[in-house]
Amino acid sequence: MILQVKRAQRGDTGAFAALIEENKMALRRIAHGFFESEEDVADVLQETVLNAFEHLPELKNARYFKTWLVRILINNCNSLYRENRRSVPFDELPETLPAAPPPCDLEFFEMLRSLPPDSRLIFQLYYGERFTTREIAGMLKMNESTVKSRLSRGKKQLREGLRFQGLA
């Protein structure tokens, strides 16, 4: 992957397209953690790809491409979330069913929805995308200890939920 990133940084659009294709499902899963609307997910993914293409020469270390790409996605998700929140009053939102996540991830997304909002993204990045707590802390601009405590609290909540359901 490092060689592909370096080729993309030198202007090889095919290498860039291959990198995006390689990371497409991870980006989609993370975006689904923010938005239920397929349109919002598509918008934020498109903006992320455009931003990454424009700023790829600024990436200093090619081995952190995925972390860098996810950070761009998170920034774009936060921006779109704030924009949506300002433009549509909450009480006027239509009550619709959320867009279905990819079928193989359905149980994982159901589990994520049971977590507090401040833990969902951390769980998605840690368990879904296999980032380290240090990488997550860097992406989310928070202390690594905060990431660890939210993971711990979330695991405790999930265990209690399973006990309540008689599954643990």
Side-chain angles (χ1 to χ4, degrees):
M1 179 165 97
I2 294 173
L3 294 175
Q4 219 170 12
V5 172
K6 290 184 184 220
R7 285 191 359 240
Q9 285 180 310
R10 288 191 298 267
D12 184 340
T13 56
F16 180 76
L19 287 166
I20 295 301
E21 186 63 33
E22 187 177 314
N23 291 286
K24 178 174 67 174
M25 288 309 294
L27 296 174
R28 179 171 288 285
R29 286 189 298 265
I30 293 166
H32 269 289
F34 279 87
F35 305 107
E36 294 178 351
S37 159
E38 275 299 322
E39 291 82 17
D40 287 341
V41 169
D43 287 347
V44 80
L45 290 175
Q46 181 178 7
E47 186 69 23
T48 298
V49 171
L50 180 62
N51 292 155
F53 185 75
E54 289 174 350
H55 297 282
L56 188 59
E58 299 166 22
L59 176 63
K60 291 176 178 45
N61 191 332
R63 75 176 192 199
Y64 294 119
F65 175 79
K66 184 175 181 181
T67 303
W68 175 78
L69 186 62
V70 168
R71 179 71 242 164
I72 292 171
L73 174 68
I74 291 169
N75 286 339
N76 287 335
C77 286
N78 286 330
S79 293
L80 183 59
Y81 179 78
R82 282 190 303 271
E83 197 175 295
N84 286 348
R85 199 174 62 192
R86 279 193 303 260
S87 63
V88 179
F90 185 74
D91 57 339
E92 293 179 20
L93 288 174
E95 290 188 28
T96 59
L97 293 174
C104 61
D105 295 329
L106 189 57
E107 288 178 8
F108 184 66
F109 277 96
E110 287 176 15
M111 178 203 67
L112 283 179
R113 286 197 177 98
S114 72
L115 293 171
D118 67 345
S119 296
R120 286 182 198 145
L121 180 59
I122 291 171
F123 262 71
Q124 173 64 37
L125 293 172
Y126 188 77
Y127 291 107
E129 304 307 324
R130 304 283 187 212
F131 284 105
T132 66
T133 54
R134 176 176 281 158
E135 290 170 327
I136 295 168
M139 281 186 252
L140 301 180
K141 298 180 181 156
M142 61 176 57
N143 290 325
E144 186 176 2
S145 60
T146 304
V147 172
K148 289 178 180 179
S149 67
R150 288 185 185 171
L151 283 170
S152 178
R153 268 188 276 143
K155 285 190 280 189
K156 182 179 178 185
Q157 180 180 345
L158 290 173
R159 275 193 295 275
E160 289 170 2
L162 290 173
R163 276 193 208 108
F164 179 73
Q165 295 173 0
L167 299 173

